[in-house]
Structure formats: C-alpha cells, structure tokens
Amino acid sequence: MALLQISEPGQTTAPHQHKLAVGIDLGTTNSLVASLKSGLAETLADTQGQHLLPSVVQFQAKDEIGYKTIVGQQAQDNAANDPLNTISSVKRYMGRGLEDIKKHSIYHFVSEEGSAVPRIRTVAGDVSAVEVSAEILKTLKQRAIESLGGELIGAVITVPAYFDDAQRQATKDAAKFAGLPVLRLINEPTAAAVAYGLDSGSEGIHVVYDLGGGTFDISILKLTKGVFEVLSTAGDSALGGDDLDHTIVDWMLAKTGIIEPDASLLRVLLDKARAAKEALTEQDTTLIQIHLDEKLHSQSDKQNSWQYELSREQFEQLIQPLIKKTLVPCRRALRDAHISVDEIQDVVLVGGSTRVPLVRQIVGDFFATQPLADIDPDKVVAIGAARQADVLAGNKSDEDMLLLDVTPLSLGLETMGGLAEKVIHRNTTIPVARAQDFTTFKDGQTAMAIHVVQGERELISDCRSLARFELRGIPPMVAGAARIRVTFQIDADGLLSVSAKEETSGVQSSIQVKPSYGLSDGEIETMLKDSFSHAQDDLDARKLREEQVEAKRVVEALLAALEEDGENLLSAQEQHTIQQAIDELSEIAEGSKQRAIKLKIEEVDKITAEFAQRRMDASINKALAGQRVNDLHT
Ligand code: ADP
Ligand code: MG
C-alpha cells in the first residue's frame, strides 16, 4: 500500500506553510472530513457543496478494469433498488463476528472457509466491513486532496467511546486500505470537546451527549487551562436515529398490515420514516405516502398505496421510550465520574438526532440546563478532529494541548474458575501501564496460559476474549512460589499490549493484542512532544527520527508476526522474501536518508500486505472460534 508523499522541507509548495492533516468523522450514517483553513477548522464540501457524506457504498458488477463503487448520496438513492449491494451503517459491523451482526442485517453475510471475517456477498464479490469503510475513507481523502490542493500527511479519525479494541483496530485497518496514515484515533465526544473547548475556552465540567444515527455516547469531561480530561464515558452502541426510523416503520407496518417486508420495501419504508422524522423537527405534522410497485411487491393483495399523517405528538409518543433509554448511561457516567448534576457547567449536543426537539427537552430536563448546540451537531466531531490533527501534524509549535482519554472497558485476565480479574479498570486515563502479580496453581507447573479479556462482568464467558498467549519455561516450583508479573499497557490509541514475566527466573513472554500496529507509550510521547516543541529548522531531523521510529516499529511488528504466524501462514519462499525485506529495512533505517527509509517502508508494506491480511483473518478466526482455555495450569 502506497504511503502518501511528504515533500521535503523547503520544497513545500506555497501557499501551504503547514502540513496538511485532516480530521475525519467516520460515522455510522454520515461521514465528514474537516481541516484547518487560515486557522479555522471547517468541514470540506464535495463539488456539489455537500458536507455530509452518507456512509453508504454501492458495489457494482466487475468489468475488465475491476469493480466499481459508488459512495455517498448517490449510493443512498440507489439503495432501495439495489438493497443487497448497497451497504449502509457498515460501522455497526466493524470488528464484529458473524454472530454479532447477522441478526439485524438485511445483507447476505458469508464466512469463508478458513476465515471468520464476515463478508457481505455483493455482485462485486464478498467484501468485509473494513473494505467498505475504506471506500468511504478513500472518498473523503480524495475530497480533501482536491479541496486543500495537496497530499495529506495523515488523518485523525474518530470512533465512538464505546468501541472496543477489535473495532478500533478495524478502523485503523480501513484507513490502511484507503492509503491514509492515521495520526491518531480519538473518541468522538472527546473531539466534540476539543471543538468547543478551544473555541470558547470555558473551564469546568462539560457533558457531551451524542446521539447519532447508530450509536449513543455520553461523556463527562473536565476542562482546565486547555487540558481536557475525560472523567467517564458510557453509552449504547446500538441506539440512535436509525432506531427512531425503525419505530416509525413499525408504526407504518402496523397501519398497512404488511407483515414481512422484503429488503427493497424495508429500504423504501426506512427512507420514508427518516424523511418524516427529520420533517417533524421543523413541523408539527408530516404526510407519509407509500406507493408500492405492483410488479415488484406482492405484499398485500388488497392495496398498494397508503397515505398517513404523523403528528409530532404521535411521533414523540412513539420515540419517548428510546430517548428515555439514553438517560440510563447518563446516570452511570455521572456515577462513575462522581459528579452530581448541579456541578455540570453545560451539556454539549452532538449528532444529527439531537435536533429532535424531544431529545433536547429530555436532555435539558435531566441535566437541568439548556443544552448547547452552537456548533452544528453534525459537524462538531469532525471539526474537533481537524484541530487535533493540526496539533499532531506539528503545525502548532506553541500549543500545549494535551488530550487525556479514558479506556471505555475494563481489561483483565482469566483466572482459575473462569473468573475475570481486572487489571485496568474502565475509565482509567490512557496511556497507562498497570502490573499485577499472579502465581502458579500446581506444584511443578512450568507454563501458564494467559487469556486477556475485556468487559465489566465477573465471568469470563460474559467478557470479550481479546488474546491468548503462553508463558513457558517457568522453573518447576511448589504451587504459589512463582511470581508472575503481568503488565498491561494501553497506548494513546487505546490499543493494548500485555506482557508476562516470571520474576525469579526472568523468563518472559508478551503479546501486542494487535501486533502490527501501536507504538509504545514512549514512542507516542516522543512523537507528541516533538510535534509540540520542534521549530521549523528541526524538521529535517525530526522527520528522519520519525521515519526511523516507524521503520523500527515495522521491523519489530513484522519480526513478531513472523515468529508468531510465519510457519502457519506462509510458504518457506514467502518467509524468506519477508525476512530479506526486514533485513534490508533494518539496514537502511540505521542510515540518515529519510526518503530512502520511507520508500523502503512502502516497499515492505507492499510485500507484506498479503501476510497482514492472512493474519487478520486468522486472528479474528481464532477469537471467534472461542475455544476455552482449559484452565491456567498445564
Ligand atoms: P452518525 O454519527 O451516526 O453518522 P449523524 O450525527 O450524522 O450520525 O446523525 C445522523 C442521524 O441524525 C440520522 O438518524 C438522521 O436521520 C438524524 N438527523 C439528521 N438531521 C435530523 C433532523 N433535522 N431531525 C431529526 N433527525 C435528524
Ligand atoms: Mg457521529
């Protein structure tokens, strides 16, 4: 995969003094790209002047050139006529296994032999959620390049606070497929806070209430002297405007007597429902008209056209339970942050669904304050991401904005009896490292199976399995004598690595939950500090260092990957080719030619792309297989 070009210092083409970095809100329903223009963050429009890109991708049949995709509004318009090849709300499937997603989907999911990555069957072939998201990112990237007039050095991409490790990783993979370097993933509510915090500079406790198309997030933030701290987050990853649409569809189905709408009809009804809902934000009533094409639908023998009036009052009755449901996570977040309602300075509204008047009313009543919506709730996340991208790109040398984030779910280990022992509790500020000591269960035990899990529940079976690895070579001792220190480390992107070390003998073993990415805390800190403090004249040295760090990261990740999966997934010849590429990269990285290192990394990326894909499939496969570790002794 080709990395984007970075011009050498001094050769940068005027008028862009600073590096082009963008913020991307990769939404369930709509996606946006934003950037700083003359110091102001703004979302970028397409050639038709549209800022919101519907997150919809239509796949068309392959021809000699390959398959073609249509992304955005046109795809959304085509969805009703081609529902199975037109993928919307793909974000709901990111980093998910077949069982998680099949239930509520109209798409034809398949799981190929030897791979548990669910794929959607389309006329263009079977596509994964990551590939679909990559199409959206490619479109936004292209829009940004055209709008800003140059190549991008990278993007800050936002994800819901509730995204777990697999979902975050899938988002990074999508960016990789799109050829877009990720400067950082940040939580959507945090991005919104960045947008507001920097604009208004008001200090205190802020609540971010984000009701989008597919997800609900609540975050409690503390803002002091330009430093954000996320005190707590909570939410519901399956609640949003789509559910309001479904409520209206259910109402329509009950009225029409249609029992089982097919995919096309459902799409038509959902589009009608959404239009009605959005109309009711401005109006007191709206007219819903449904006409069925008789040849296509034989849903009802009696009738094929209906017309109903829906009032705002009726609509509010229908949706009230859903909106009230958002207050449950609100209470939980307040409790986690040890904040009472009267300590809250303001409530920021994010997400298109917060335009619904009933939402504003219920949120306002609950928090006993008039919620803020100064910045367009559709755009505020992208705008905050753009600001953060600008800082990470190193364009703000005197800016001292440090973003503190929290881990949304607890992380821990399986212990005897199928219990989960938490090592890092949810809502811990990241990056973070925590260690905990464990011991052996049996006399003479020489190995230990480490099973890393994520979740709040006590039983392993209720938590999400993230990774497994073994610590071998523990000297035989009586049970309870060995001292095994397990260290969890979460980097600034929220990605986890775990290591285990037997203290008396020093044997150790480790796993990066997603080994091919993720810098260590130290490296990220260095890069962040660099981006804050380096002046223009240091650019050369810094670029070289970053490239060297990147090379080292690539080499280390590949060596780890080879060791772990080389034998299983590669032929001897393939292993040899990759090893050779690693050796060459290590050698070049010792030198001081930044561009040569960069080109070599690109080459290595290309050579290893297939391997990365196979590993991803295999690891998801393994996670899904859900084999239980027998127990913690051998
Ligand atoms: P996401 O973050 O999930 O991509 P957005 O923040 O773009 O979503 O919000 C999309 C949701 O907002 C959709 O369900 C859409 O119908 C809803 N929405 C947009 N405008 C309005 C409006 N004027 N009134 C009510 N809902 C709206
Ligand atoms: Mg959103």
Side-chain angles (χ1 to χ4, degrees):
M1 157 152 351
L3 290 172
L4 297 166
Q5 301 293 122
I6 304 173
S7 56
E8 295 289 331
Q11 296 176 7
T12 316
T13 45
H16 297 293
Q17 301 285 326
H18 68 274
K19 299 187 238 170
L20 300 177
V22 295
I24 291 182
D25 174 2
L26 185 59
T28 312
T29 319
N30 297 301
S31 298
L32 294 106
V33 57
S35 184
L36 251 71
K37 279 185 169 174
S38 335
L40 284 180
E42 52 186 59
T43 53
L44 308 176
D46 65 9
T47 47
Q48 267 96 54
Q50 296 300 315
H51 291 248
L52 270 66
L53 178 74
S55 305
V56 185
V57 180
Q58 183 186 13
F59 289 86
Q60 300 190 314
K62 268 192 181 136
D63 57 19
E64 314 81 61
I65 306 160
Y67 67 75
K68 213 184 123 208
T69 57
I70 297 175
V71 180
Q73 190 57 52
Q74 203 193 330
Q76 180 157 306
D77 294 344
N78 295 345
N81 291 325
D82 190 17
L84 297 180
N85 297 307
T86 310
I87 319 300
S88 52
S89 297
V90 70
K91 188 172 175 179
R92 284 194 189 271
Y93 313 138
M94 292 289 274
R96 288 273 173 244
L98 202 54
E99 286 316 308
D100 292 335
I101 59 189
K102 246 191 335 206
K103 276 173 273 164
H104 288 101
S105 172
I106 59 165
Y107 306 117
H108 183 101
F109 276 97
V110 289
S111 195
E112 277 155 28
E113 191 75 34
S115 154
V117 178
R119 289 175 183 275
I120 301 169
R121 180 137 295 170
T122 75
V123 282
D126 298 342
V127 294
S128 66
V130 166
E131 288 166 298
V132 178
S133 291
E135 294 297 321
I136 298 167
L137 289 174
K138 274 185 214 165
T139 305
L140 293 175
K141 172 182 150 186
Q142 199 49 40
R143 181 191 292 187
I145 289 172
E146 280 161 23
S147 169
L148 300 172
E151 288 289 342
L152 312 179
I153 66 151
V156 166
I157 302 179
T158 58
V159 291
Y162 250 60
F163 257 26
D164 65 20
D165 209 65
Q167 293 167 301
R168 283 168 200 267
Q169 191 56 45
T171 306
K172 282 194 142 189
D173 289 334
K176 204 171 168 157
F177 270 114
L180 190 60
V182 178
L183 297 171
R184 183 136 164 210
L185 297 181
I186 63 174
N187 289 339
E188 286 159 12
T190 309
V194 169
Y196 271 98
L198 291 186
D199 285 354
S200 65
S202 57
E203 301 198 341
I205 305 285
H206 300 262
V207 169
V208 181
Y209 180 103
D210 179 351
L211 191 60
T215 51
F216 171 62
D217 280 300
I218 181 84
S219 300
I220 314 246
L221 306 146
K222 193 171 161 193
L223 191 60
T224 336
K225 296 196 180 72
V227 176
F228 290 103
E229 190 182 357
V230 185
L231 297 180
S232 68
T233 70
D236 188 334
S237 56
L239 179 60
D242 293 348
D243 301 285
L244 306 187
D245 302 346
H246 277 285
T247 309
I248 299 179
V249 168
D250 288 344
W251 177 82
M252 293 195 278
L253 291 178
K255 289 246 172 204
T256 56
I258 296 170
I259 295 162
E260 264 194 63
D262 64 16
S264 286
L265 177 57
L266 191 59
R267 194 66 258 166
V268 171
L269 296 182
L270 281 168
D271 287 347
K272 298 266 180 206
R274 184 195 290 204
K277 171 190 73 177
E278 294 183 5
L280 288 174
T281 291
E282 305 293 333
Q283 300 155 208
D284 289 336
T285 68
T286 185
L287 199 62
I288 303 174
Q289 288 173 305
I290 311 163
H291 301 288
L292 302 188
D293 183 334
E294 276 170 282
K295 275 169 258 138
L296 290 178
H297 308 282
S298 51
Q299 301 286 340
S300 162
D301 353 301
K302 300 178 217 111
Q303 210 181 336
N304 62 3
S305 102
W306 292 267
Q307 176 164 315
Y308 297 113
E309 200 171 69
L310 181 62
S311 70
R312 186 189 284 172
E313 212 181 318
Q314 280 172 295
F315 171 62
E316 291 184 342
Q317 265 169 21
L318 292 173
I319 63 165
Q320 181 148 22
L322 286 172
I323 311 303
K324 284 264 165 79
K325 219 174 137 188
T326 64
L327 299 181
V328 177
C330 290
R331 287 195 193 93
R332 195 165 66 230
L334 285 172
R335 212 169 43 234
D336 283 348
H338 308 292
I339 291 289
S340 62
V341 164
D342 53 331
E343 291 172 80
I344 293 165
Q345 181 153 332
D346 50 48
V347 178
V348 172
L349 294 182
V350 179
S353 300
T354 62
R355 294 186 183 212
V356 173
L358 183 69
V359 173
R360 297 195 172 189
Q361 188 197 316
I362 288 179
V363 174
D365 287 349
F366 180 81
F367 290 105
T369 177
Q370 178 80 23
L372 293 181
D374 302 349
I375 305 180
D376 191 336
D378 296 319
K379 296 179 180 165
V380 60
V381 167
I383 286 173
R387 288 194 185 283
Q388 190 65 15
D390 194 52
V391 173
L392 290 174
N395 293 330
K396 282 218 166 58
S397 50
D398 56 351
E399 191 82 25
D400 206 20
M401 187 176 72
L402 201 62
L403 204 51
L404 301 176
D405 227 329
V406 298
T407 177
L409 297 167
S410 299
L411 294 158
L413 289 181
E414 173 169 355
T415 60
M416 289 302 300
L419 293 175
E421 173 72 25
K422 296 190 180 86
V423 177
I424 296 180
H425 287 263
R426 74 197 203 88
N427 283 329
T428 301
T429 305
I430 57 171
V432 65
R434 288 270 157 82
Q436 195 146 324
D437 289 336
F438 294 87
T439 190
T440 45
F441 176 72
K442 255 190 2 184
D443 285 349
Q445 182 178 336
T446 58
M448 192 178 246
I450 313 266
H451 181 197
V452 184
V453 296
Q454 184 170 42
E456 306 313 309
R457 309 283 293 272
E458 295 299 323
L459 291 177
I460 287 297
S461 48
D462 295 328
C463 294
R464 188 180 172 91
S465 170
L466 290 181
R468 295 162 192 277
F469 66 105
E470 286 188 353
L471 178 65
R472 298 199 161 276
I474 302 171
M477 285 179 256
V478 290
R483 182 85 36 243
I484 287 110
R485 169 151 293 200
V486 180
T487 306
F488 278 54
Q489 194 168 352
I490 310 179
D491 71 17
D493 287 327
L495 295 176
L496 171 73
S497 55
V498 181
S499 60
K501 184 176 181 190
E502 203 289 303
E503 298 285 333
T504 54
S505 62
V507 291
Q508 52 181 315
S509 177
S510 70
I511 190 167
Q512 215 164 2
V513 169
K514 304 290 164 181
S516 29
Y517 308 93
L519 299 165
S520 70
D521 282 356
E523 284 164 334
I524 285 195
E525 223 173 87
T526 313
M527 285 172 76
L528 271 174
K529 279 211 194 95
D530 282 356
S531 71
F532 294 140
S533 59
H534 277 271
Q536 287 287 354
D537 55 1
D538 267 349
L539 273 176
D540 258 330
R542 190 179 83 209
K543 266 185 157 174
L544 173 63
R545 265 238 308 292
E546 284 176 352
E547 211 70 75
Q548 285 170 329
V549 168
E550 175 67 6
K552 194 170 140 223
R553 183 185 72 76
V554 169
V555 165
E556 278 171 4
L558 279 175
L559 285 175
L562 267 187
E563 189 174 26
E564 208 181 12
D565 286 329
E567 298 263 349
N568 300 338
L569 300 178
L570 297 173
S571 70
Q573 178 59 43
E574 287 170 327
Q575 285 185 57
H576 177 74
T577 309
I578 291 177
Q579 186 61 53
Q580 201 170 8
I582 294 173
D583 294 345
E584 284 167 19
L585 177 58
S586 305
E587 204 188 53
I588 290 176
E590 295 291 327
S592 56
K593 295 209 172 66
Q594 180 258 332
R595 201 171 152 70
I597 303 173
K598 181 172 128 62
L599 289 173
K600 196 73 203 175
I601 293 175
E602 285 175 21
E603 193 186 314
V604 170
D605 261 352
K606 265 193 216 124
I607 293 173
T608 56
E610 169 69 22
F611 182 35
Q613 181 63 43
R614 282 185 215 166
R615 295 194 76 223
M616 204 163 81
D617 289 353
S619 86
I620 293 172
N621 201 3
K622 198 167 134 204
L624 281 185
Q627 337 104 319
R628 297 285 308 268
V629 74
N630 297 333
D631 49 29
L632 278 173
H633 56 86
T634 52

